Amino acid sequence: MTIICLEGASAVGKTSTSNELTRMRNTYIVPEVNLLFERPTFATNTWYLERQVERWKIAREKQKDYELVILDGDIFQPLSYNWCFDFKIYEQSLDAIYEFYQAEIRKGKIMFPDRYFYLYTSINNLKKRKENDKTRKRRNFETHIDIIEPHQRYYEALNQLELQFVQLIEAENIECNARVIEDNLPSSKAYRDSERLIDSIKNWLMKTKP
């Protein structure tokens, strides 16, 4: 069955849209790392990357019982997120992240999903939604606001590297988001060369400034 990923800025409505899709069809949601796992006090430098591999494992296992599996947040997020900060705020270089993922792909432990859906809206809308949502603290929200433009540009570039791989959706409301996704789910599981794609992403990141 199909595995998709929902991405976009904090407060854009990824989780709410995922929940709406569960009301429309037999769907399982794989939450983001910080909601799914408790970070240890002394985490290794690859702890977060390893948890992304575990999220993919969960998604693959749930394929057996659900017609749609949603990754709430990208399992390859360390590539886009660290690039947005020019690889200067974390102790992980592009080479280190790439080499980790490349090795896991070659071992068959992680792959790219069948399709990405990228939700976007204005900064004012994001701030209003954040203020109105009392269920989550949304740590580092202002920091995330600062990288909206390069973050979206990364997924636009990903859609050029792999045609019709990413669909951008202007997130007007949750019901509309879910309907657009429902209408544009892949009709069949397409073969995707994850090893070639991770190489293409690395090359793009190396030559492109955030």
Side-chain angles (χ1 to χ4, degrees), residues 59-161:
R60 290 296 299 271
E61 290 174 347
K62 295 301 180 180
Q63 273 188 302
K64 303 170 187 175
D65 302 313
Y66 295 85
E67 58 181 329
L68 178 65
V69 177
I70 301 173
L71 292 162
D72 186 354
D74 192 359
I75 52 175
F76 292 92
Q77 180 254 16
L79 285 167
S80 62
Y81 194 78
N82 282 278
W83 170 74
C84 286
F85 292 102
D86 206 17
F87 297 93
K88 292 178 179 177
I89 65 169
Y90 297 107
E91 296 178 2
Q92 289 176 324
S93 66
L94 172 57
D95 284 341
I97 298 170
Y98 163 76
E99 288 169 6
F100 175 90
Y101 277 125
Q102 183 192 53
E104 297 302 300
I105 288 171
R106 287 178 175 173
K107 289 185 285 188
K109 292 188 175 182
I110 195 169
M111 295 170 60
F112 284 91
D114 297 309
R115 183 167 291 176
Y116 284 93
F117 292 91
Y118 189 92
L119 307 180
Y120 70 92
T121 190
S122 69
I123 292 177
N124 284 338
N125 281 342
L126 292 173
K127 290 181 176 179
K128 289 177 183 176
R129 292 175 187 180
K130 190 258 184 183
E131 290 170 2
N132 292 332
D133 184 2
K134 306 303 181 183
T135 65
R136 296 178 62 180
K137 294 182 179 179
R138 299 192 184 278
R139 294 173 299 172
N140 302 319
F141 178 79
E142 295 301 328
T143 300
H144 293 157
I145 288 292
D146 291 340
I147 63 167
I148 283 178
E149 187 276 331
H151 191 252
Q152 181 170 330
R153 186 153 42 93
Y154 168 89
Y155 286 93
E156 291 171 343
L158 183 56
N159 199 41
Q160 296 299 312
L161 297 173

Side-chain angles (χ1 to χ4, degrees), residues 12-29:
V12 76
K14 298 186 295 295
T15 301
S16 296
T17 299
S18 297
N19 290 333
E20 178 66 19
L21 283 162
T22 65
R23 289 189 278 273
M24 299 168 65
R25 57 164 58 219
N26 184 29
T27 301
Y28 185 87
I29 303 169

